[in-house]
Amino acid sequence: MCVFMAKTTSTNFFSFMPNRNTTQDSIKFQNGFFLSGPVKAFSLSASQLQCYYASIPISVPLTKYKDYEFISLDEKICEFCEKGNLKKAMEFLLMPENPQVASSTYCSVLQLCAELKSLEDGQKVHSIIRSSGVSIDGVLGSKLVFMYVTCGNLREGRLVFDKIANEKTFLWNLMINGYAKIGDFKESVLIFEKMLRSGIEVNSHTFSCVLKCFAALGSIKDGEWVHGYLLKLGFNSYNAVNNSLISFYFKIREVQSAHKLFDDLTDRDVISWNSMISGYVASGLCEKGLELLIEMLKSGADTDLATIICALAGCANCGDVSLGRALHAFAIKARFDRNAIFSNTVMDMYSKCRDLNGAIQVFAKMADKSVVSWTALIAGYVREGLADKAIGMFHEMERGGVVPDTFAITAILHACACNGSLESGKHIHNYIRENDMQSNIFVCNALMDMYAKCGSMEDAKSVFLEMPVKDIVSWNTMIGGYSKNGLPNEALSLFVTMIKELEPDGRTMACVLPACASLAALDKGKEIHGYILRNGCLYDQHVTNALVDMYAKCGMLVLARFLFDMIPTKDLVSWTVMIAGYGMHGLGNEAISAFNGMRHAGLMPDEVCFISILYACSHSGLINEGWMFFNLMQNECNIKPQLEHYACVVDLLSRTGKLSMAYKFIQKMPIEPDATIWGSLLCGCRIHHDVKLAEKVAEHVFELEPENTGYYVLLANIYAEAEKWEQVKKMREKIGTRGLKKNPGCSWIEAKGKVHIFVAADHSHPQTNNIEALVNKYRSKMKKEGYRPKLRYALINADEMEKEMALCGHSEKLAMAFGILNLPPGQTIRVTKNLRVCGDCHEMAKFMSSKTKREIVLRDSNRFHHFKDGICSCRGFW
DNA sequence: TTGTAAGCTG
């Protein structure tokens, strides 16, 4: 059936004038004719025209009507398509009772749908085709697939693709590329394999795309096979293929192979250069990438926007702000600066080069600020430690109608983590739930990190357990979170679970070693050290520093020093860890020479380093040196002392018996002293038995931390040691009414890969009879040799016998006795206690070391005590 | 059809 349409011209009878005072664009007549083009309202009304055209018979040959040209519906639709007017084309196609149009017309409309990315219209066309009964041949099917894939409905496209069995390489490439674009590289590869099996011809596009897929999948062998295959077919003469190969080798970390390909390229195009620069930058070899940029510019090769963007990313990652600025200027001249991706990149460059103001300036000038722009700036604020400002920016972004995506959410979670804002973090968690972002691994990792940094490991754990897929970052975050939140046992047990599932990396080691350190779990630490040696993480400075710290905290100072000496370029953390190690072992002078060594190496101590050296001085009673460092910190290094530094000085004065000086020092502090500061003095009062000052100091402590059990117990101990039993009783009552519980003393020791834990007066250990018998044996021996037990440490107002019994039950004694009974002769006995060692136990440890001729290393909550031949390394400073 | 921006673990 043929349908005619009147084609309007400016010279025709009705003087149809386009674009002037028109009422409607076209009219359908009852006989199936169309009058198209704008109808001039003043010349004839629509109904008049309709009447006129209604009289024209269908069978009249076209030539009879000189002034009118009649065209088919197909042609009309195609004409609209050519003009890009999809709306009109669809209108004609969808008119009710329309005659069937040609397959090629459907193709034209589908092409336009694809170009305009109108899935909705495309689907309508597909349904018309279905209902019209037109057979979907290879050509029409291809167009349908093209439309669906271009419009992002890969599933529908695939259904058509599978039905039509097309042999066109283009269509196969389209499908492979379609899946690659949505990240389903596995499906891309499956189609590629099917393509090879079916004998479909492959071309350079196929190789380009497939190489990208194998790179993304990390399928090194398959990618290399493709390389061989394309060489066989001679596709290595195509630049695009070589460029893809370069990218592939960069992605599989074969940097040299990539460079070799580039070297062999005779005709390098801009993409070859860009691929090299971007490859180096993405591999973390930014300097090399920037060198290539310079080489590229010198060679006179063309540069484009992508060149600048890749190079700016390189500047950002290696902090080269001057080159970044030069590129920025160059880009402005080249008029690249109106491009959104460019602006975002340049802004990120300034932000990562610590020039936040530069970033803010670019941001302010940006015409359309996308979520990417906001995220880059928010991350910049967080990097500068301005987490509050970052959170403010986030709200401003939301108010401006910009919807946060997973990147923005991750950045803002990081801000909450740095700020410790659990409340804001929980709000973000709600947003994540409401917007179904829980499946994003970055979001979940950042969420766990936020909870861990805000101290809520329970929340972190529930996120971790609910994660559908966990990566190494997830595990590291949880293990590190447990370590830092005082849950070392949880950290270690999670580490054990982890290594059954995936291979740990250097960061895992740096996360788990502090857990070993805090438990003094030497055997476990050594095991992890072995793991590190086998897996080659020893070249990671963080790992070596953590190992030094672990060995120092597990009492193996010699080993710590040995590893420390092996670090080729020691950083500030390496030195700080070593200084702290010497400090906790009471080796103040060694700590000082390490400090001097560090300065000699040209490193500037930071506030943490000063805490270590002040701590070391205080634990060795080096009062003059301590003062010297306290002044050095302020005068030479311009570091304002924080609470921790004041606490060390107070500790130093208190331990050395300068109690009133300490008291005055606290009163003169420019910052408000906290309970720890007063607590240090209270400890000093206990060591030097100053009950009067203790009462004065305790008032401050109780006011600042009324809920802290430790301080009530401490004052009770001070009273008990002075045998002021009435006051002890009052303190106990005070503790009782407040519902406070004394933290039970507990000691542990490792033997044959097992940790044995002892609690004071606990008889549940299987060897309890032997252990208690041994303790009593030593007690009698000590008495015979004229030793009087330090009864005041028993803290019980009872008769002498009972006090003695209570002393015998102290956990550290039980652990030491267990060590003597179970560890081979000559092996050092290493005991760890959660509280400070008691004076009586300290005496017995000396005695035991002398009688058994073996070393005892006792780590309490404060420091190490090395007992050898009846002498302790602490020399009374504890 | 290859190269192009922001986010997580010590």
Side-chain angles (χ1 to χ4, degrees):
Chain A
M1 180 178 165
C2 185
V3 179
F4 294 107
M5 297 169 73
K7 195 174 182 177
T8 60
T9 65
S10 56
T11 55
N12 70 25
F13 174 75
F14 293 108
S15 305
F16 294 143
M17 303 282 282
N19 305 324
R20 269 184 60 194
N21 198 16
T22 54
T23 50
Q24 62 186 110
D25 285 350
S26 50
I27 305 146
K28 186 182 179 185
F29 298 99
Q30 281 158 350
N31 63 0
F33 277 73
F34 289 91
L35 172 65
S36 76
V39 178
K40 201 175 164 194
F42 54 80
S43 55
L44 273 175
S45 73
S47 54
Q48 281 174 306
L49 279 166
Q50 207 160 343
C51 294
Y52 179 81
Y53 276 97
S55 63
I56 298 171
I58 292 166
S59 56
V60 175
L62 285 175
T63 48
K64 190 164 181 185
Y65 299 91
K66 278 186 206 159
D67 291 335
Y68 311 105
E69 198 184 324
F70 288 87
I71 62 163
S72 69
L73 176 60
D74 286 294
E75 280 177 56
K76 189 67 212 164
I77 293 174
C78 292
E79 193 188 302
F80 280 126
C81 288
E82 271 166 33
K83 287 180 186 155
N85 192 342
L86 181 61
K87 198 170 161 241
K88 295 307 303 180
M90 288 303 294
E91 213 173 85
F92 280 95
L93 200 64
L94 289 169
M95 276 180 179
E97 297 161 39
N98 238 359
Q100 188 177 313
V101 299
S103 184
S104 62
T105 306
Y106 289 127
C107 285
S108 301
V109 184
L110 286 170
Q111 175 74 34
L112 189 58
C113 291
E115 281 165 17
L116 300 176
K117 300 246 182 329
S118 175
L119 180 63
E120 205 186 320
D121 289 318
Q123 277 168 330
K124 281 182 193 157
V125 178
H126 193 184
S127 83
I128 297 170
I129 294 169
R130 273 202 212 97
S131 56
S132 71
V134 172
S135 72
I136 299 178
D137 59 4
V139 180
L140 182 57
S142 299
K143 269 292 181 250
L144 271 168
V145 175
F146 177 71
M147 181 278 296
Y148 275 124
V149 175
T150 317
C151 295
N153 191 338
L154 209 51
R155 219 172 57 88
E156 279 298 320
R158 181 63 184 272
L159 288 174
V160 183
F161 175 81
D162 284 343
K163 269 184 211 155
I164 58 173
N166 198 297
E167 290 193 351
K168 268 189 193 161
T169 304
F170 163 79
L171 207 64
W172 287 80
N173 289 348
L174 185 75
M175 289 311 297
I176 294 173
N177 205 33
Y179 282 106
K181 271 189 183 144
I182 61 159
D184 192 349
F185 303 108
K186 275 188 187 160
E187 197 55 44
S188 296
V189 166
L190 286 175
I191 297 173
F192 172 66
E193 283 165 0
K194 195 176 170 195
M195 189 177 182
L196 294 183
R197 275 198 311 275
S198 318
I200 312 285
E201 198 184 320
V202 287
N203 64 16
S204 62
H205 306 326
T206 321
F207 285 121
S208 288
C209 188
V210 147
L211 281 166
K212 196 180 186 175
C213 297
F214 284 130
L217 289 168
S219 309
I220 300 175
K221 287 226 165 91
D222 292 321
E224 283 167 346
W225 180 87
V226 169
H227 189 179
Y229 186 59
L230 66 87
L231 282 176
K232 203 171 115 188
L233 298 182
F235 276 98
N236 56 326
S237 57
Y238 286 82
N239 244 10
V241 173
N242 280 309
N243 294 342
S244 306
L245 278 169
I246 289 174
S247 293
F248 168 76
Y249 281 110
F250 268 119
K251 281 181 194 139
I252 64 160
R253 309 217 150 266
E254 288 279 347
V255 177
Q256 296 198 328
S257 308
H259 209 121
K260 170 108 189 25
L261 276 158
F262 181 72
D263 283 340
D264 294 344
L265 262 186
T266 44
D267 184 28
R268 296 165 182 169
D269 60 17
V270 62
I271 294 181
S272 319
W273 285 99
N274 291 354
S275 303
M276 288 302 289
I277 296 169
S278 135
Y280 273 119
V281 171
S283 312
L285 302 162
C286 301
E287 283 84 2
K288 192 82 190 126
L290 296 179
E291 268 173 37
L292 259 145
L293 170 82
I294 307 297
E295 201 186 313
M296 176 184 186
L297 296 173
K298 279 185 189 158
S299 78
D302 278 343
T303 50
D304 65 4
L305 181 59
T307 316
I308 306 300
I309 288 171
C310 297
L312 278 170
C315 295
N317 293 345
C318 68
D320 191 343
V321 73
S322 48
L323 181 60
R325 276 202 195 97
L327 287 169
H328 187 187
F330 174 81
I332 290 171
K333 273 189 194 157
R335 294 185 178 258
F336 289 151
D337 58 324
R338 284 178 219 171
N339 177 284
I341 296 179
F342 167 79
S343 301
N344 290 332
T345 313
V346 83
M347 191 178 76
D348 194 49
M349 181 276 296
Y350 282 122
S351 148
K352 286 201 175 123
C353 292
R354 317 306 293 263
D355 180 1
L356 192 58
N357 281 330
I360 292 168
Q361 277 174 32
V362 177
F363 182 78
K365 280 184 198 153
M366 280 174 72
D368 34 30
K369 300 175 176 71
S370 68
V371 67
V372 179
S373 332
W374 285 93
T375 307
L377 200 58
I378 288 169
Y381 276 113
V382 181
R383 227 173 275 126
E384 294 300 314
L386 302 164
D388 278 329
K389 189 90 179 105
I391 295 171
M393 287 283 293
F394 182 80
H395 293 311
E396 201 183 319
M397 173 185 89
E398 281 192 305
R399 278 198 300 275
V402 176
V403 180
D405 63 359
T406 56
F407 282 78
I409 290 297
T410 321
I412 202 62
L413 281 171
H414 194 200
C416 298
C418 293
N419 232 8
S421 345
L422 186 59
E423 274 310 299
S424 311
K426 285 198 167 177
H427 277 122
I428 302 292
H429 195 173
N430 281 336
Y431 183 90
I432 293 165
R433 285 197 201 95
E434 284 158 13
N435 292 278
D436 222 20
M437 289 178 173
Q438 298 107 309
S439 55
N440 183 291
I441 204 155
F442 279 89
V443 167
C444 289
N445 289 343
L447 198 53
M448 282 190 298
D449 183 54
M450 181 276 294
Y451 279 128
K453 293 222 165 86
C454 293
S456 180
M457 284 312 290
E458 273 306 306
D459 287 309
K461 189 182 173 186
S462 67
V463 175
F464 182 72
L465 292 177
E466 281 168 26
M467 279 175 81
V469 184
K470 300 172 180 72
D471 66 1
I472 193 154
V473 179
S474 328
W475 290 91
N476 291 352
T477 306
M478 280 305 285
I479 293 170
Y482 280 133
S483 281
K484 271 178 272 165
N485 282 293
L487 298 162
N489 289 309
E490 284 79 354
L492 280 170
S493 82
L494 197 64
F495 175 72
V496 171
T497 317
M498 175 191 177
I499 55 177
K500 285 177 199 153
E501 292 193 22
L502 78 164
E503 193 150 306
D505 63 3
R507 281 170 195 252
T508 319
M509 303 307 172
C511 286
V512 75
L513 281 169
C516 301
S518 87
L519 286 170
L522 181 61
D523 287 353
K524 197 82 209 162
K526 279 182 177 167
E527 218 177 278
I528 292 171
H529 189 179
Y531 210 104
I532 290 165
L533 291 171
R534 286 194 296 279
N535 290 279
C537 320
L538 207 62
Y539 302 100
D540 185 329
Q541 186 102 339
H542 288 102
V543 174
T544 339
N545 292 343
L547 270 175
V548 173
D549 184 54
M550 184 276 290
Y551 278 120
K553 286 184 178 147
C554 288
M556 305 290 278
L557 199 58
V558 177
L559 250 178
R561 179 72 207 202
F562 180 75
L563 281 170
F564 173 80
D565 286 334
M566 294 210 310
I567 303 176
T569 38
K570 301 162 181 68
D571 62 14
L572 193 55
V573 177
S574 325
W575 289 100
T576 304
V577 160
M578 204 57 235
I579 293 166
Y582 281 128
M584 69 184 78
H585 287 272
L587 300 167
N589 289 315
E590 284 80 353
I592 292 172
S593 49
F595 189 92
N596 293 334
M598 175 191 73
R599 297 219 67 188
H600 209 73
L603 285 161
M604 193 68 170
D606 67 354
E607 54 274 6
V608 182
C609 190
F610 273 109
I611 295 173
S612 294
I613 192 69
L614 289 170
Y615 169 96
C617 292
S618 109
H619 281 262
S620 294
L622 299 170
I623 188 146
N624 294 330
E625 292 82 350
W627 267 117
M628 193 269 290
F629 284 116
F630 190 64
N631 290 323
L632 179 85
M633 169 173 91
Q634 296 172 82
N635 304 333
E636 267 188 50
C637 303
N638 285 323
I639 297 171
K640 243 168 110 183
Q642 298 301 306
L643 277 174
E644 291 91 337
H645 304 104
Y646 285 108
C648 285
V649 175
V650 171
D651 204 50
L652 179 58
L653 295 170
S654 307
R655 280 170 198 281
T656 47
K658 301 196 172 0
L659 300 179
S660 56
M661 217 172 139
Y663 189 75
K664 280 180 201 145
F665 180 79
I666 297 175
Q667 284 179 315
K668 277 191 199 156
M669 271 173 61
I671 48 174
E672 201 61 39
D674 68 350
T676 320
I677 304 258
W678 288 112
S680 284
L681 182 51
L682 196 59
C683 283
C685 293
R686 181 183 175 181
I687 297 167
H688 299 283
H689 314 298
D690 189 335
V691 182
K692 230 175 157 186
L693 184 62
E695 286 174 331
K696 222 158 91 180
V697 172
E699 274 179 36
H700 292 283
V701 179
F702 295 158
E703 197 190 315
L704 288 163
E705 271 186 26
E707 300 304 317
N708 192 325
T709 330
Y711 296 123
Y712 293 94
V713 177
L714 185 55
L715 187 60
N717 284 346
I718 293 170
Y719 284 133
E721 284 164 18
E723 311 211 352
K724 290 178 181 287
W725 304 116
E726 261 313 297
Q727 274 88 341
V728 173
K729 204 178 149 200
K730 273 188 198 158
M731 285 312 296
R732 287 193 177 276
E733 279 164 7
K734 214 171 178 179
I735 293 169
T737 54
R738 280 163 194 269
L740 301 173
K741 273 168 89 186
K742 188 178 174 237
N743 192 3
C746 141
S747 302
W748 58 94
I749 179 170
E750 283 182 329
K752 291 173 197 146
K754 210 183 149 206
V755 179
H756 298 261
I757 302 169
F758 297 90
V759 181
D762 173 29
H763 309 284
S764 63
H765 194 275
Q767 295 183 30
T768 191
N769 291 338
N770 292 344
I771 292 166
E772 282 167 19
L774 190 68
V775 172
N776 286 328
K777 197 180 106 188
Y778 279 111
R779 161 88 48 227
S780 317
K781 274 192 186 174
M782 282 168 82
K783 268 189 171 174
K784 268 187 204 154
E785 294 186 18
Y787 171 82
R788 295 243 326 131
K790 290 199 171 184
L791 298 182
R792 43 176 191 224
Y793 293 104
L795 306 178
I796 296 169
N797 184 10
D799 65 24
E800 299 285 297
M801 264 302 271
E802 270 185 48
K803 278 192 205 169
E804 207 172 306
M805 293 275 283
L807 280 173
C808 285
H810 271 182
S811 63
E812 54 269 52
K813 282 195 192 84
L814 302 176
M816 289 189 294
F818 172 86
I820 294 169
L821 287 169
N822 290 278
L823 296 177
Q827 190 177 327
T828 303
I829 294 161
R830 297 175 187 278
V831 171
T832 310
K833 192 188 175 187
N834 66 335
L835 307 173
R836 284 176 64 174
V837 61
C838 111
D840 187 64
C841 293
H842 195 262
E843 286 303 312
M844 189 177 266
K846 285 188 197 167
F847 191 77
M848 283 174 162
S849 75
S850 132
K851 289 294 157 197
T852 58
K853 299 271 176 240
R854 54 202 291 175
E855 273 186 68
I856 299 173
V857 176
L858 193 129
R859 193 184 100 178
D860 69 7
S861 60
N862 220 27
R863 59 165 295 151
F864 275 94
H865 302 264
H866 289 253
F867 301 95
K868 198 182 173 188
D869 301 326
I871 297 166
C872 179
S873 63
C874 76
R875 288 166 291 153
F877 293 105
W878 53 288

